[in-house]
Amino acid sequence: MVHRGEAIGVLAVASRLEGAFGQREAEMLSEIAGHVAMAVSNAVAYRQIAELRDKLSQEKHISKMKINLENRFEDIVGESAGLRHVLKEIETVAPTDATVLIQGETGRGRNYWRVRSID
C-alpha cells in the first residue's frame, strides 16, 4: 500500500484454489489498498498532531509556571521572620491549584501571619 509516494504497508489476499483471482480482483484489491493506505496515513498524521498539541500544551504550562515563579512576591514588602516563614509556606503551595488565604496585620510592624488553604 502506497500513499503520496510512501510505502504504508502491505495488503495481501490468498486462496488455496489455483487461478482464484483474475484481473478484476487485482484491480479491486488495488483500489481497496489505496483507500486503506490513505486511512492509515491520516490516522498516523492525526496521532502525530495530537502528540505535538500535547507537547505544546505542556510547554505552555511550564512557561506559565516559570513566569509565575519569577513574579511571585514582587508586591509583598517586608523582611520579618514571620513574613519569611509565610513566604516559604506559599512556595510550598504555589505549584498546586489550591486557593490560599493569607491573614495578618499589614503596615503595623507585626510578625503575625497565617497561611490557610480555603479549597
Side-chain angles (χ1 to χ4, degrees):
M1 296 185 302
V2 177
H3 182 69
R4 295 185 180 161
E6 182 181 351
I8 302 294
V10 176
L11 182 62
V13 178
S15 174
R16 292 181 179 208
L17 300 175
E18 188 175 328
F21 304 113
Q23 183 62 32
R24 181 172 170 238
E25 288 80 14
E27 289 172 1
M28 185 173 68
L29 184 60
S30 179
E31 185 74 25
I32 291 170
H35 291 290
V36 172
M38 185 185 316
V40 169
S41 180
N42 287 343
V44 168
Y46 180 81
R47 187 186 75 219
Q48 290 171 339
I49 290 169
E51 289 171 357
L52 290 171
R53 184 187 63 235
D54 292 344
K55 183 177 178 182
L56 181 62
S57 177
Q58 289 173 353
E59 289 176 3
K60 180 181 175 185
H61 178 71
I62 290 169
S63 293
K64 280 185 175 182
M65 286 180 57
K66 286 181 181 178
I67 290 169
N68 288 339
L69 288 175
E70 290 171 3
N71 300 321
R72 60 185 167 193
F73 301 129
E74 285 181 353
D75 297 333
I76 298 176
V77 178
E79 295 183 14
S80 69
L83 180 58
R84 283 195 308 267
H85 175 73
V86 168
L87 295 179
K88 193 155 191 75
E89 289 186 29
I90 291 171
E91 284 180 347
T92 303
V93 178
T96 70
D97 290 333
T99 303
V100 174
L101 173 65
I102 302 172
Q103 296 177 319
E105 298 293 329
T106 59
R108 300 192 183 201
R110 296 216 168 176
N111 291 332
Y112 172 73
W113 296 84
R114 183 172 70 216
V115 176
R116 180 170 57 100
S117 175
I118 57 175
D119 277 351

